[in-house]
Amino acid sequence: GELPATLTLNTIEGEIIINLRPDLSRESVQYIKALLDSPEPCRACRLYRAEQRGILQGILTKEDVPQGITKLGNCPKGVEVEEGEKCHGPMMTRGMVGWAAGEGGPDFFIDNYHKKADWWGNEHTVWGEVIDESSLEVITGIFDLPTHKEGLTFLDTPIHIDISE
């Protein structure tokens, strides 16, 4: 079937619209489509981690959608990688959305760093991009919510996500 063009994260803080990028990871966008097609509510979908001011992390999963159907993205043409380094996508820039920790989901994050995240190299599978200003403002606002540190920085109150196209 036809792949969706966008994924909207509907939260109490506002809408975050992700432009999907099947050109970077078709399987990841197929996973998002499976989530959208499923009639199940997105009970476990939430934003839970906010590292100042660069990483907004969450999870997208439903009980009836199998994990592990995503594959890691391909290394972009012309990228030279040192031996042992992972290469699964473009170097991330502000607004790009990828699977967390160089894995294949269901945990994802939105890059909110103002400069290119060259310290990550090309290790993340990128499957979407937030480009509209109002979505970026919602993301920025979430970083002002109360957090606590447990090694990583977690939102005191995780934010539930409902998803739509």
Side-chain angles (χ1 to χ4, degrees):
E2 192 128 322
L3 292 175
T6 59
L7 172 68
T8 301
L9 309 181
N10 302 292
T11 78
I12 53 166
E13 299 298 321
E15 282 185 353
I16 299 169
I17 299 167
I18 300 170
N19 292 306
L20 297 172
R21 295 286 307 270
D23 58 310
L24 296 176
S25 176
R26 188 169 181 84
E27 291 85 2
S28 297
V29 176
Q30 285 167 332
Y31 174 74
I32 299 300
K33 179 183 185 335
L35 293 176
L36 288 165
D37 288 348
S38 153
E40 288 286 312
C42 218
R43 273 187 216 96
C45 299
R46 64 194 181 279
L47 298 167
Y48 60 80
R49 177 183 171 208
E51 296 293 340
Q52 293 298 351
R53 282 208 162 251
I55 301 171
L56 181 61
Q57 188 166 317
I59 184 166
L60 292 170
T61 183
K62 287 186 180 183
E63 287 155 22
D64 65 337
V65 176
Q67 294 300 319
I69 59 172
T70 63
K71 288 218 301 269
L72 296 175
N74 298 322
C75 198
K77 278 194 180 73
V79 171
E80 295 195 14
V81 184
E82 300 294 316
E83 200 177 330
E85 277 186 8
K86 296 177 179 175
C87 183
H88 301 302
M91 201 166 283
M92 292 186 77
T93 54
R94 184 171 186 232
M96 281 189 176
V97 185
W99 298 122
E103 302 295 327
D107 294 85
F108 74 99
F109 72 101
I110 302 169
D111 176 358
N112 195 46
Y113 287 111
H114 280 275
K115 51 180 200 255
K116 188 178 264 201
D118 54 6
W119 56 91
W120 287 327
N122 296 82
E123 67 183 58
H124 294 103
T125 298
V126 175
W127 50 265
E129 200 165 4
V130 177
I131 51 182
D132 70 291
E133 213 38 63
S134 67
S135 292
L136 291 167
E137 280 172 25
V138 171
I139 292 164
T140 301
I142 291 172
F143 286 98
D144 295 327
L145 298 173
T147 57
H148 59 279
K149 270 211 179 295
E150 292 170 38
L152 304 173
T153 309
F154 294 97
L155 292 166
D156 286 354
T157 307
I159 298 170
H160 178 73
I161 299 168
D162 281 313
I163 59 171
S164 59
E165 254 185 72

